Amino acid sequence: MATTPSTGTGPQPAGLAEGAIATVAGNGAAGFISDGGPGALTKLNNPIGVAVDKDGNLYIADRSNHRVRKVAPNGIITTIAGNGQAGYVSDGGPATATPLNSPDGVAVDKDGNVYIADRANHRVRKVTRSGIITTIAGNGQAGYVSDGGPATATPLSSPYGLTVDRSGNLYISDHGNHRVRRVTPNGIITTVAGNGQGGYVSDGGPATATKLYYPQGLAVDAEGNLYIADSCNHRVRKVTPSGIITTVAGNGIAGYVSDGGPAVATRIHYPWGLAVDETGSLYVGEHSGQRIRKITSDGIITTVAGNGTGGYVDDGGPAAGTRIYNPTGVALDRAGNLYIADYSNHRIRGVTRVAQMTPPLPPAADLYGEVVSPYRVQRGQEFDLGARIANRGPNTADGQHVTVVLTLADGLLGGPGTTGRRLTRTFTGQQLIPYQGTLDGVFRVSAPDITPPGTYESTLEIHYSGDLNLKDNTFTLPVTVVVPIPVADETALTIYQDTVPEVAPGQRTTFNLRYTSPTGQPVNPGTITQRFTAPTGFVFTGQPTYAYYETIHGIVSGDLDHRIEDDGRTLIISANPHVNTTTSDAGSVIYTIPVQARPDATPGQYDNGSASIGRHAPVQISGKVTGSAQDETALHVTQASVPQAAPGQTTKFNLEIRSLNNQPVNPGTIEQRITAPTGFVFTGAASYGYYSTKPYVTGNLDTSLEDGGRTLVIRSNPHLNTGTTDKTALIHTLVIRALPDAKPGTQPADGRATIGRLTPVPLTARVL
């Protein structure tokens, strides 16, 4: 991304109205033809990154052509790097004579040097104005070692986005390492954001101490603030020159709600490219939202290109009303024209004078349909077909203006109270408030017993009037009708182990066994005896359950009738593993069976368990006993968020506890002494949570206070990875209060967290 103000106008065609869209490179067909002609008449192949230099030249990371292309202001396209072959040979020669490997990001500095994120080579390359290519970051190996040394001597992991600040520092989104790195003009690399763990914890603290989740595009504004497309967190983050990270767009939920409000309160969907204009407005290429969003300096978000539906229609009209398809990189030229890497359309699109225009106001109500359509149904059964209408606009929609029309395919019938193939519903008297609720345009439909098997396509239309907006309001709903064969016995089932238990000796977990009918026919064997033999080192324990996850009624589940024999070695279940006989047993049935690794079990993989389901051929059951659970010395503790409070106010912060290499840790109940930073005291309230499990496992911690609240003593067992309910990470949430006489503006870092025999971890807090 070019971040210094451009002094040149790019190749956007002249004479277009503000906000109009045009193609400046790529004819929509994926491939490569030649160079030297008009950019709009040749082929690109998944263009993904764009940048504009001070002379108005547009640079394109032409990913699947393994090239970087340049479109001059007069529209002529050439290649400046890559010979079209994927790979790596050497540095120091002409850039057009050497391979690249899926280049993703491109940036240009004030001297005209072009930087390339040579993603699959795990390098960043530099092309001088004379056309010579060199590596300036990455040694070609995927990974992470350290910071503080020469950038060319350390690994990167799939670098994506690039940007250069006014001092010549190069920023790299080290995608697979969940970090953003900085390379100084003298070639030294450091981390400026991300602690190397994928995820999201909080804002407001040091950027290097928190998590990112596969960062993509980058941009730097005139004040030196760094913006990060934190793609899988569905946020755009900002890192100040002092290193503090905050969110400037996205609430962490993927999707689209509305325009015109605060960017931090709405949804974005997989942000990718970023650019900043000279007024401080930020532009976001929203890859899966099929939009380009603009965030003004006061934090208000609007759409400047894309209507939210992926595809291509035409050029010349308003960019906000047409389709783009998986947009990625974005860049601006001096005239305020915005350039978009329209990735899946194999084009670069330009939007005229976006930086100067006022984005169109959002409609009074912006509706969309959430289609309900089963993939397969059985002849003779009822099912749901239609759509639920939701409102993502800022104002309430009156239901009298909305009508759903479902035209059934021949062979399908509407439910009671309907006649003919055309089913309609208008919502008179109903109000659809913004961001909440839906109008129910779903109809009950059946495939009669005389319907031949095959695929039937019905049509759904959503009619609207008044001051409403609704894009793509016609849908084709295909449904495949299958003919049940006579009910079979258990030998018609396909049965396999869905998950393999993996625990340390003495620890409990569960595994899943899936029963399915591969062709969708009903299977109803009646109640049968199902005999399970545990793998070596395991015993059965606890209540086995069943669940159907694919029904129109949601999850249907319950307990299984069982008994355990042979000191836990044998489990006998008496049940009917029926599938596809009604709407409440559609798809597969999954048995969840609790097991425990024996305390004396020898670590290893054991594949000698079995499941004998009636007359069905026995199914192999496997289990893995890991090494003995470690004590607390195998834990790694970090302060996941920095508490901030005004004098006398209460807040909270998180300690994140993980195990080294995700090994099982089960130290038993130990003492954990937490000392508050100067100016703060604990209240005694503390809780724990395992948030990598579904459902979450949470509870309160046993605590006591010492030293007038300066020290919090916790007695608990910080166990990890011993089963399915304590996976990955343990979060301790501690409530803390700033003392009334605490000095505002201070950020003491003299707190400590001492977990058993672990080396104390420093803690910091800020007085507002």
Side-chain angles (χ1 to χ4, degrees):
M1 235 52 67
T3 59
T4 56
S6 173
T7 58
T9 301
Q12 176 71 351
L16 294 175
E18 283 188 354
I21 193 167
T23 294
V24 299
N27 62 8
F32 178 81
I33 300 176
S34 62
D35 285 310
L41 300 181
T42 195
K43 294 182 180 180
L44 301 175
N45 199 347
N46 296 132
I48 191 166
V50 288
V52 179
D53 70 13
K54 63 183 181 180
D55 299 318
N57 295 297
L58 171 69
Y59 298 89
I60 305 165
D62 196 358
R63 175 194 264 185
S64 298
N65 278 328
H66 309 292
R67 290 176 165 93
V68 173
R69 320 287 289 276
K70 181 176 83 171
V71 182
N74 64 2
I76 300 301
I77 192 168
T78 53
T79 294
I80 67 156
N83 62 4
Q85 298 174 354
Y88 174 80
V89 176
S90 62
D91 285 306
T96 54
T98 194
L100 301 174
N101 200 346
S102 300
D104 271 33
V106 62
V108 60
D109 67 18
K110 60 186 178 182
D111 297 322
N113 299 301
V114 177
Y115 300 87
I116 304 165
D118 197 359
R119 178 180 59 86
N121 279 327
H122 308 292
R123 289 176 165 93
V124 176
R125 319 287 287 277
K126 174 181 175 181
V127 180
T128 64
R129 291 180 71 94
S130 61
I132 301 302
I133 192 168
T134 54
T135 293
I136 63 165
N139 62 5
Q141 299 175 353
Y144 174 80
V145 176
S146 62
D147 284 306
T152 54
T154 194
L156 300 174
S157 184
S158 299
Y160 270 76
L162 303 173
T163 193
V164 184
D165 69 17
R166 296 187 175 189
S167 299
N169 296 297
L170 174 70
Y171 296 84
I172 306 166
S173 62
D174 197 358
H175 183 78
N177 282 325
H178 307 292
R179 289 176 164 93
V180 175
R181 319 285 289 277
R182 178 175 61 204
V183 180
T184 60
N186 63 356
I188 301 302
I189 192 167
T190 55
T191 294
V192 296
N195 63 5
Q197 298 173 355
Y200 175 81
V201 178
S202 62
D203 284 308
T208 54
T210 195
K211 297 179 181 180
L212 301 175
Y213 203 2
Y214 293 116
Q216 301 273 21
L218 304 171
V220 179
D221 67 16
E223 283 73 42
N225 297 298
L226 172 69
Y227 298 89
I228 305 167
D230 196 0
S231 62
C232 289
N233 278 325
H234 307 292
R235 290 176 163 92
V236 176
R237 318 287 288 276
K238 173 183 172 181
V239 180
T240 65
S242 61
I244 302 300
I245 193 168
T246 55
T247 293
V248 296
N251 62 7
I253 302 173
Y256 174 80
V257 176
S258 64
D259 282 311
V264 294
T266 195
R267 299 180 184 183
I268 55 178
H269 198 176
Y270 208 70
W272 195 297
L274 300 177
V276 181
D277 67 22
E278 295 180 11
T279 68
S281 292
L282 178 69
Y283 299 81
V284 183
E286 201 178 340
H287 174 273
S288 298
Q290 317 298 352
R291 293 174 169 89
I292 307 298
R293 315 291 287 277
K294 177 179 180 179
I295 302 153
T296 55
S297 57
D298 59 357
I300 301 302
I301 192 168
T302 52
T303 294
V304 296
N307 63 10
T309 300
Y312 176 79
V313 180
D314 54 20
D315 285 314
T322 194
R323 299 184 184 186
I324 51 181
Y325 200 3
N326 300 133
T328 49
V330 291
L332 290 155
D333 68 12
R334 181 194 63 178
N337 300 312
L338 178 73
Y339 298 92
I340 304 165
D342 198 357
Y343 181 82
S344 294
N345 278 326
H346 308 290
R347 290 176 162 93
I348 304 297
R349 318 284 288 278
V351 184
T352 300
R353 293 190 296 279
V354 165
Q356 287 79 34
M357 66 175 283
T358 300
L361 292 174
D366 190 2
L367 308 186
Y368 63 100
E370 298 175 333
V371 169
V372 176
S373 179
Y375 171 72
R376 177 184 293 156
V377 299
Q378 291 185 24
R379 188 168 69 182
Q381 291 189 356
E382 293 184 340
F383 57 94
D384 289 335
L385 196 63
R388 296 183 177 92
I389 315 304
N391 178 7
R392 58 193 171 200
N395 296 325
T396 298
D398 193 328
Q400 68 176 328
H401 298 305
V402 182
T403 300
V404 175
V405 179
L406 177 64
T407 304
L408 295 174
D410 284 331
L412 302 182
L413 291 179
T418 64
T419 58
R421 294 174 49 219
R422 185 176 172 88
L423 312 182
T424 67
R425 187 174 299 161
T426 301
F427 305 95
T428 303
Q430 298 184 49
Q431 299 293 309
L432 185 56
I433 58 179
Y435 323 134
Q436 301 181 45
T438 57
L439 300 175
D440 186 6
V442 178
F443 299 85
R444 200 66 173 162
V445 176
S446 66
D449 289 332
I450 60 172
T451 300
T455 299
Y456 294 80
E457 292 188 348
S458 302
T459 300
L460 178 75
E461 301 171 77
I462 305 173
H463 297 172
Y464 58 97
S465 60
D467 190 16
L468 301 183
N469 178 59
L470 179 62
K471 299 291 193 305
D472 299 302
N473 57 321
T474 301
F475 304 88
T476 299
L477 310 182
V479 175
T480 299
V481 176
V482 297
V483 179
I485 63 173
V487 171
D489 60 27
E490 66 271 20
T491 60
L493 292 168
T494 295
I495 305 171
Y496 57 91
Q497 187 176 9
D498 220 15
T499 59
V500 175
E502 183 174 340
V503 288
Q507 303 305 313
R508 297 172 182 261
T509 187
T510 62
F511 73 91
N512 293 336
L513 200 70
R514 183 183 293 270
Y515 300 65
T516 188
S517 172
T519 57
Q521 79 267 30
V523 178
N524 190 11
T527 299
I528 59 174
T529 298
Q530 303 164 59
R531 189 178 186 89
F532 298 81
T533 301
T536 295
F538 286 87
V539 293
F540 295 106
T541 178
Q543 173 67 58
T545 60
Y546 71 88
Y548 297 91
Y549 292 95
E550 304 164 52
T551 78
I552 63 173
H553 311 289
I555 299 173
V556 177
S557 61
D559 293 338
L560 289 165
D561 184 14
H562 76 289
R563 67 180 188 273
I564 296 174
E565 300 178 347
D566 304 329
D567 295 324
R569 177 83 174 146
T570 301
L571 169 69
I572 298 173
I573 293 176
S574 296
N576 181 0
H578 56 89
V579 294
N580 299 320
T581 64
T582 69
T583 57
S584 62
D585 68 351
S588 304
V589 60
I590 295 177
Y591 283 10
T592 299
I593 300 174
V595 292
Q596 180 179 13
R598 296 172 59 92
D600 58 353
T602 301
Q605 171 89 22
Y606 299 97
D607 302 316
N608 57 350
S610 66
S612 297
I613 312 301
R615 293 174 293 165
H616 196 284
V619 175
Q620 176 181 293
I621 300 296
S622 299
K624 184 175 182 179
V625 181
T626 63
S628 299
Q630 303 297 307
D631 60 26
E632 72 272 19
T633 59
L635 294 174
H636 178 68
V637 182
T638 56
Q639 184 178 12
S641 59
V642 176
Q644 301 185 70
Q649 298 300 307
T650 298
T651 186
K652 59 187 177 182
F653 71 99
N654 293 334
L655 288 179
E656 182 181 77
I657 305 172
R658 291 176 177 260
S659 67
L660 304 177
N661 300 317
N662 282 325
Q663 62 187 308
V665 175
N666 191 11
T669 300
I670 61 172
E671 185 177 271
Q672 303 151 61
R673 300 183 69 84
I674 319 297
T675 303
T678 299
F680 288 84
V681 292
F682 291 103
T683 68
S687 61
Y688 71 88
Y690 295 94
Y691 298 105
S692 298
T693 67
K694 291 185 181 297
Y696 300 153
V697 177
T698 60
N700 293 322
L701 290 165
D702 180 14
T703 66
S704 61
L705 295 174
E706 297 179 359
D707 306 327
R710 180 75 192 278
T711 300
L712 175 73
V713 181
I714 300 171
R715 292 189 57 80
S716 70
N717 181 2
H719 57 89
L720 277 164
N721 302 311
T722 65
T724 58
T725 59
D726 64 351
K727 296 188 297 184
T728 309
L730 167 63
I731 304 295
H732 281 182
T733 301
L734 312 179
V735 180
I736 198 169
R737 182 174 64 249
L739 293 171
D741 58 353
K743 184 178 179 181
T746 61
Q747 185 162 335
D750 55 354
R752 293 290 183 270
T754 305
I755 310 299
R757 293 172 290 171
L758 280 177
T759 302
V761 174
L763 302 178
T764 184
R766 181 171 179 79
V767 182
L768 297 177

